[in-house]
């Protein structure tokens, strides 16, 4: 999948935050997801993504891989996209083995 270059400074900052979470698996999933999707997200999706970046790594990662149900206030289009992201799926399958 081709990545659209980021030109918006705010989205660049979000990409950096997504790729440097401090928890290796979260860095991989969220960082790669952001790299492939952030440039083409709507403003609403960007706001939702930014809210997800404020969640502690362990909680967010557990929701993404389906280890723990996503709280209702964090359910949304971007969370669904994250859960369906191929890297997230492969890590989820690996962690269930």
């Amino acid at each position: 999948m081709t990545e659209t270059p980021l030109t918006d400074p705010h989205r660049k900052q979000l990409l950096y935050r997504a790729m440097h979470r401090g928890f290796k698996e979260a860095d991989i999933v969220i960082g790669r997801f952001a790299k492939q999707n952030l440039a083409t997200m709507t403003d609403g999706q960007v706001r939702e993504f930014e809210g997800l970046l404020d969640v502690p790594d362990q909680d967010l990662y557990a929701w993404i891989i389906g280890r723990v149900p996503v709280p209702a206030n964090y359910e949304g289009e971007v969370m669904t996209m994250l859960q369906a992201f191929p890297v997230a799926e492969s890590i989820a399958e690996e962690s269930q083995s």
Side-chain angles (χ1 to χ4, degrees):
M1 177 178 266
T2 8
E3 297 153 16
T4 305
L6 281 175
T7 55
D8 176 51
H10 181 67
R11 290 180 191 227
K12 285 182 179 181
Q13 180 184 36
L14 293 177
L15 176 61
Y16 181 85
R17 285 181 60 198
M19 296 180 75
H20 298 90
R21 305 274 307 163
F23 176 57
K24 183 179 177 182
E25 289 84 352
D27 287 351
I28 293 168
V29 174
I30 301 164
R32 288 183 186 173
F33 172 83
K35 196 171 186 180
Q36 288 187 10
N37 294 286
L38 198 53
T40 58
M41 285 182 181
T42 65
D43 290 342
Q45 289 171 329
V46 169
R47 283 190 298 276
E48 182 183 342
F49 184 68
E50 187 170 15
L52 291 172
L53 291 180
D54 291 334
V55 173
D57 289 341
Q58 298 290 339
D59 294 340
L60 181 56
Y61 182 72
W63 302 341
I64 292 170
I65 66 166
R67 187 179 300 145
V68 177
V70 179
N73 57 323
Y74 287 103
E75 289 177 346
E77 188 175 358
V78 175
M79 178 55 73
T80 301
M81 292 166 60
L82 270 164
Q83 290 173 319
F85 190 62
V87 174
E89 289 176 348
S90 63
I91 290 176
E93 289 168 6
E94 187 177 306
S95 71
Q96 292 173 3
S97 300

